[in-house]
Amino acid sequence: MSLKTLLMPMITQHRFARSTLLAQRAKAEKARLASGRPHEVYYFHQVDDPYSHLLAQALPRFLARYQVELKPHVVSPPPDSAAPERDKLVAYSRVDAALLAQRHGLNFTDPGKQPEADRVQQATHTLVGAIGMGQFAEYAALVGQSLWAWDETQIPPEQINALKPVSSQDVQNHIAQSDDLREKLGHYLGGMLYYEGEWYWGIDRLYHLEQRLQELGAQRSGVFGLLFPADDSLANAKPLNNPPDIDFFFSFRSPYSAIVAPRIFELGRLTGAKVNLRFVLPMVMRGLPVPKVKREYIVYDTAREAHVRGIPFGRLNDPVGKPTERGLALIPFAEQHSKGQEFVLSYMQGVWAEGIDAGSDKGLKKIVERAGLRWEGAQVALQHEAWRERAAANREELFAAGLWGVPSFKMGSRVVWGQDRLWALTLP
């Protein structure tokens, strides 16, 4: 066992503990009060990002609920290093945003393509101008609605035309400064809110910010509840007549896969759908390194989501490399003994919540045996390499479905990505 493997569980248990997050929030609030600053929420808006358009629609309601000062910025799309398979990401974001809009009563229909560059440029000029006039929240959704209109010849509303024009140089300067600020604060995406050391993505994570502001007493009189509560898809799950199989695409190195595994298996049990284990190698083991800023945000965000759902998480032992390969080699063995789900759950909990070193025989033996499997048989199965072809085939199936990352799910004709999209699988 390396020193890194030995120390990582102890370090991460502290870093990602709920108590640590709450202490960081308390420290930030103390510093804010000492400086005399109001509650300042930074918002980074990507003009041609559907998720940004959804959040822009929610901003007026959010601002009406809380005593906060919004500091909006228009930013560039994420860099290539943070957006592998960009074409698939962009196309899927439109489909996913349309699902979200339908679920939450917002305005977005996938036009089947991105807006033309000249229209994006026009919208960017308009929004930078609105920021300069202190009217971003009033105009952002209107501009987005015009940008994403199916009829590209549609004339922008008079309110937009009435805004004071800004020069191309002013727009370039604004975006450059906004990109620099986003990077300095520690992120890479659009549709992001930042408040006192913590990031919140789109309408999906707005509830975390709302809960934090309510704990600080920043809500206005009469405000209660949340605009977009956390997904509780299992609460209404019920048996289906002849349900199609659920393909569960996952990686052992994906923290989001780890916290959704118990829920997707439970959804299968409740609906009667068979869950197929479509494991893939982690991106970094396929030659696609993940930037540090992205890795850290994902783990912090997973910790918040796990806490909300009561799922153990945070004492980590990164399974990249040998630990993942050993785990994947044992999935066919576990399935042969009708223990596939049990093994996946045991492995995920072991490396993401208990700090078990799955690269060691001692650690892997514990994972295997508590899943109801015999270690002697697992030792034999570890010598087999057939899992590699299966992992490659699963990856090709994932790409063919229009996706690239995990966790992802396919149920009949419905294909979704993300641990917070289980509700979409059983839509009529």
Side-chain angles (χ1 to χ4, degrees):
M1 179 181 292
S2 68
L3 182 61
K4 179 181 179 182
T5 301
L6 181 65
L7 295 178
M8 186 183 299
M10 293 181 286
I11 294 171
T12 55
Q13 183 176 26
H14 172 72
R15 284 187 67 192
F16 303 118
R18 185 68 179 176
S19 58
T20 300
L21 176 63
L22 295 179
Q24 291 170 343
R25 288 180 176 179
K27 182 179 179 181
E29 177 63 4
K30 184 178 180 180
R32 185 192 71 81
L33 290 172
S35 68
R37 288 183 289 106
H39 296 286
E40 297 174 331
V41 175
Y42 291 80
Y43 172 50
F44 297 88
H45 184 88
Q46 181 187 323
V47 173
D48 61 349
D49 167 38
Y51 299 116
S52 292
H53 178 48
L54 296 184
L55 184 53
Q57 294 175 56
L59 284 179
R61 280 190 285 163
F62 171 72
L63 294 174
R65 289 167 62 86
Y66 300 97
Q67 299 174 16
V68 300
E69 190 173 297
L70 186 71
K71 293 185 172 296
H73 298 268
V74 176
V75 292
S76 304
D80 290 341
S81 60
E85 301 291 338
R86 186 184 295 275
D87 290 345
K88 288 185 174 65
L89 169 64
V90 169
Y92 177 75
S93 67
R94 296 194 305 268
V95 174
D96 189 42
L99 273 176
L100 282 172
Q102 181 181 15
R103 178 176 174 82
H104 295 298
L106 299 173
N107 184 342
F108 184 81
T109 303
D110 178 15
K113 63 178 182 178
Q114 289 295 104
E116 296 296 333
D118 60 335
R119 299 177 68 237
V120 173
Q121 184 179 28
Q122 180 185 15
T124 302
H125 275 69
T126 301
L127 289 179
V128 172
I131 290 173
M133 297 176 65
Q135 294 180 296
F136 176 86
E138 291 82 357
Y139 282 92
L142 192 63
V143 171
Q145 186 174 340
S146 176
L147 176 67
W148 288 104
W150 281 73
D151 182 3
E152 296 183 0
T153 64
Q154 177 178 306
I155 300 174
E158 280 300 317
Q159 303 100 301
I160 295 177
N161 295 329
L163 282 171
K164 181 181 178 181
V166 294
S167 70
S168 295
Q169 188 61 56
D170 286 343
V171 171
Q172 291 176 18
N173 291 342
H174 172 89
I175 293 177
Q177 292 169 6
S178 298
D179 287 350
D180 287 345
L181 178 60
R182 177 177 61 177
E183 182 178 0
K184 178 182 177 182
L185 294 176
H187 221 280
Y188 50 93
L189 282 178
M192 296 298 304
L193 295 160
Y194 175 86
Y195 175 72
E196 299 294 347
E198 203 169 327
W199 289 94
Y200 309 87
W201 177 64
I203 63 172
D204 280 289
R205 300 296 185 269
L206 185 60
Y207 78 95
H208 285 298
L209 177 56
E210 284 201 82
Q211 289 174 333
R212 184 178 177 185
L213 290 171
Q214 288 179 14
E215 289 168 1
L216 294 174
Q219 70 270 34
R220 299 184 190 278
S221 177
V223 167
F224 60 92
L226 302 166
L227 290 173
F228 310 105
D231 169 34
D232 189 20
S233 53
L234 297 183
N236 299 316
K238 53 188 177 182
L240 301 175
N241 292 324
N242 300 315
D245 290 2
I246 300 174
D247 287 336
F248 173 30
F249 295 91
F250 68 94
S251 160
F252 273 151
R253 203 200 180 206
S254 160
Y256 290 134
S257 293
I259 68 168
V260 81
R263 289 179 286 135
I264 192 62
F265 295 151
E266 179 66 5
L267 182 64
R269 188 188 70 80
L270 293 171
T271 60
K274 178 186 175 184
V275 180
N276 300 315
L277 303 178
R278 303 296 191 190
F279 54 85
V280 299
L281 279 171
M283 284 186 175
V284 70
M285 293 173 66
R286 292 186 272 127
L288 295 169
V290 181
K292 180 181 178 181
V293 64
K294 183 175 181 179
R295 292 198 310 270
E296 292 194 349
Y297 168 71
I298 286 174
V299 180
Y300 275 107
D301 183 54
T302 304
R304 286 186 309 197
E305 291 286 284
H307 172 76
V308 168
R309 292 167 174 82
I311 299 172
F313 182 86
R315 185 176 171 86
L316 320 181
N317 209 323
D318 189 351
V320 67
K322 179 182 174 182
T324 283
E325 291 186 339
R326 285 159 61 87
L328 295 182
L330 293 184
I331 290 180
F333 165 70
E335 290 175 322
Q336 289 170 6
H337 293 82
S338 301
K339 295 289 185 180
Q341 293 185 12
E342 291 85 350
F343 175 72
V344 169
L345 290 175
S346 180
Y347 187 101
M348 291 296 203
Q349 181 174 325
V351 300
W352 291 106
E354 300 171 344
I356 293 177
D357 176 14
S360 70
D361 282 351
K362 178 182 178 181
L364 193 57
K365 181 181 179 182
K366 180 177 181 179
I367 290 171
V368 165
E369 291 184 340
R370 71 179 179 188
L373 297 163
R374 292 178 60 84
W375 176 238
E376 293 78 10
Q379 287 178 298
V380 175
L382 285 171
Q383 309 307 313
H384 300 159
E385 295 283 319
W387 65 268
R388 294 186 185 275
E389 292 183 8
R390 185 170 157 188
N394 289 337
R395 183 188 66 209
E396 293 304 316
E397 285 188 40
L398 183 66
F399 285 179
L403 298 176
W404 67 101
V406 295
S408 291
F409 313 91
K410 184 174 185 294
M411 187 177 187
S413 60
R414 181 81 65 189
V415 180
V416 294
W417 171 45
Q419 62 87 24
D420 45 11
R421 290 295 183 272
L422 297 190
W423 55 266
L425 291 180
T426 55
L427 287 176

